[in-house]
Amino acid sequence: MARYYDVHPQDPQPRAISQVVAQLRDDALIAYPTDSCYALGARLENHGGAERIRRIRHLDDKHHFTLVCADFAQLGQMVDLSNSAFRAIKAATPGPYTFILPATPEVPRRLAHPKKRSVGVRIPQHPVAQAILAELGEPILSSSLLLPGAEWPMTEGWQIKEELDDVLDAVVDAGDCGTTPTTVVDLTGGSPEVVREGAGDPSRFA
């Protein structure tokens, strides 16, 4: 049964955030809010975390997981950045964008794309996500909380708790944070390629 945390969307209670982070460090899988819909999250070192996310979302091994980072310095440890990628990401973060880039050795091999050795990275703007990241001190392995066959992600914490109570360890409810996932930009080639249009304005990468 998942623990349920009702947190303030702009000023999250420190005690609740500490309890969520304690669960993450104990290899929990959580649902938490971002600036572009709710997401599933686990620590990078949680060896079962990625597999649990794959099972819930029915994903194959070619799915690009996202490493949700607190800031640009943390992001830069996870992926290799060219000068042009550096400038593009710096101008668009924090915000509702996911960038696909070559993974550094810091990223466990099991979390990167099996052929491309690439991974998604993002820096969210949501105060609750930022509070969790600040206390955890490391990126969170994440994937949008979009269930198989569903057209839109779930937007209510109580609904997530009700639907996924048996497969999650915690639900962090900060109210409705929308149904639009991030805009995904592939920066592994010579020029940016928008592979999914979402909450972030894609025209800046046209």
Side-chain angles (χ1 to χ4, degrees):
M1 184 178 288
R3 284 193 66 180
Y4 179 78
Y5 299 93
D6 186 5
V7 300
H8 192 281
Q10 297 299 324
D11 190 19
Q13 303 90 317
R15 185 167 179 270
I17 297 299
S18 293
Q19 290 172 338
V20 171
V21 169
Q23 284 196 256
L24 279 170
R25 288 184 177 136
D26 201 27
D27 285 350
L29 178 63
I30 71 170
Y32 72 103
T34 76
D35 46 349
S36 64
C37 71
Y38 278 87
L40 298 169
R43 281 184 72 225
L44 266 63
E45 295 305 319
N46 178 349
H47 285 257
E51 195 48 51
R52 290 175 70 184
I53 292 172
R54 283 194 181 101
R55 280 201 302 271
I56 291 169
R57 291 203 53 203
H58 295 185
L59 302 171
D60 62 25
D61 64 355
K62 294 177 182 64
H63 175 73
H64 268 110
F65 280 108
T66 299
L67 307 182
V68 177
C69 302
D71 53 31
F72 203 84
Q74 205 174 68
L75 182 147
Q77 294 174 352
M78 299 291 120
V79 289
D80 289 324
L81 290 169
S82 65
N83 288 337
S84 59
F86 177 94
R87 288 193 299 271
I89 296 172
K90 192 78 170 167
T93 56
Y97 294 92
T98 298
F99 300 96
I100 298 171
L101 287 153
T104 68
E106 294 284 317
V107 178
R109 184 170 287 275
R110 61 193 162 77
L111 302 182
H113 189 284
K115 287 184 180 171
K116 300 178 183 176
R117 273 294 292 158
S118 52
V119 71
V121 286
R122 68 166 299 209
I123 302 171
Q125 206 163 19
H126 198 289
V128 175
Q130 276 291 345
I132 293 170
L133 288 162
E135 178 124 354
L136 184 62
E138 60 184 84
I140 297 175
L141 173 72
S142 285
S143 183
S144 298
L145 211 174
L146 181 63
L147 295 181
E151 191 174 351
W152 304 104
M154 288 184 282
T155 61
E156 301 289 346
W158 63 265
Q159 182 191 16
I160 296 168
K161 161 90 167 138
E162 203 171 82
E163 193 110 355
L164 300 175
D165 204 23
D166 294 338
V167 292
L168 293 178
D169 301 304
V171 175
V172 185
D173 186 354
D176 190 337
C177 56
T179 58
T180 310
T182 56
T183 291
V184 179
V185 184
D186 190 334
L187 295 174
T188 57
S191 56
E193 180 190 355
V194 176
V195 295
R196 181 180 74 194
E197 291 192 15
D201 179 7
S203 65
R204 68 196 306 161
F205 299 102

